[in-house]
Amino acid sequence: MIRPALAFALVMQATTTTCPRVPRYVPLSTPFPLTYGGTPVPGNGVGVAYEGGKALRGPRGNEGKITSFQLAAGVADRVSASVGPYSSGGEDAPSGTILRLKLRLGGVLGARSSTSLHFASASMQSTVGNTANERLSVLDFALPTEFLLWGDSVASLAAVLGPRFTFAMYDSTYAAHTRTAYRGLLAGVHAKTGRLHMFAEATVTRVPTPQGGTRTAVVPVFGVMLHAGSAFKWGREH
């Protein structure tokens, strides 16, 4: 005769074996990636970066978060680019890819300023059983200007300010497809010492609400980059 405890254990084992855990549904996150300021980072050479912060989650733009690792390269104090994965964070969170390009336009607002054209694209998708099949594509444009507050090419502190436009395309098999344009302002700081760069940026934008209106959202992102090669050289127009 099988004891009740043994029978219970056998049933639980059979249930666990035949019914694997179904990953939970996690909405995709629209990132507002770091622009890395108004200068190419690195100016010349390669670098590796980590960033994390807030994002807009799901088609309704609820508060979410992201983390990302990036490989970066810069040429001639003029052009820089980076690419790497990003995640919504947490268990079962989907992952995607962020690609960034930046072209320095010059010291448009004076010798202690540097303005760049920033472009980024992000993509992410998820499939959880038969209940959710989603795809997110993001195009991000910004015109950050960096103002040197203190320092030189070795160590410096700068403020960053500029307009931003982000277009998110959210496709889902269980909800209406959405196309959302986020117009906003980004502001932040860029600190550097030696080969280490530290960034803090926040984007202020308006997010549509289900009631047909909009609400204000602040999306902060923080990051660090370690580079090999030379940093951007302040005080020399290119």
Side-chain angles (χ1 to χ4, degrees), residues 38-162:
T39 59
V41 182
N44 295 272
V46 296
V48 59
Y50 168 82
E51 64 186 77
K54 299 296 183 180
L56 298 181
R57 173 172 289 183
R60 293 186 177 182
N62 297 322
E63 183 178 299
K65 63 180 181 180
I66 64 162
T67 57
S68 177
F69 290 92
Q70 296 280 304
L71 296 176
V75 179
D77 282 352
R78 180 66 66 178
V79 179
S80 62
S82 69
V83 64
Y86 84 101
S87 172
S88 299
E91 186 180 9
D92 300 325
S95 61
T97 302
I98 295 177
L99 169 67
R100 264 173 285 221
L101 296 173
K102 183 193 291 184
L103 173 64
R104 182 174 183 267
L105 303 179
V108 177
L109 299 179
R112 295 176 66 85
S113 73
S114 178
T115 301
S116 292
L117 176 62
H118 155 94
F119 167 75
S121 67
S123 60
M124 177 181 280
Q125 63 181 8
S126 70
T127 302
V128 181
N130 296 319
T131 60
N133 191 329
E134 298 184 324
R135 179 185 297 272
L136 171 68
S137 299
V138 178
L139 299 176
D140 181 51
F141 302 89
L143 197 66
T145 296
E146 190 164 333
F147 299 92
L148 181 64
L149 303 177
W150 168 86
D152 50 28
S153 60
V154 177
S156 62
L157 177 65
V160 180
L161 188 68

Side-chain angles (χ1 to χ4, degrees), residues 22 58 61 108 131 224 238:
V22 177
V108 177
T131 60
V224 295
H238 303 278

Side-chain angles (χ1 to χ4, degrees), residues 2-19:
I2 299 179
R3 295 181 178 179
L6 179 58
F8 177 77
L10 292 173
V11 171
M12 290 300 295
Q13 181 178 2
T15 302
T16 303
T17 303
T18 58
C19 300

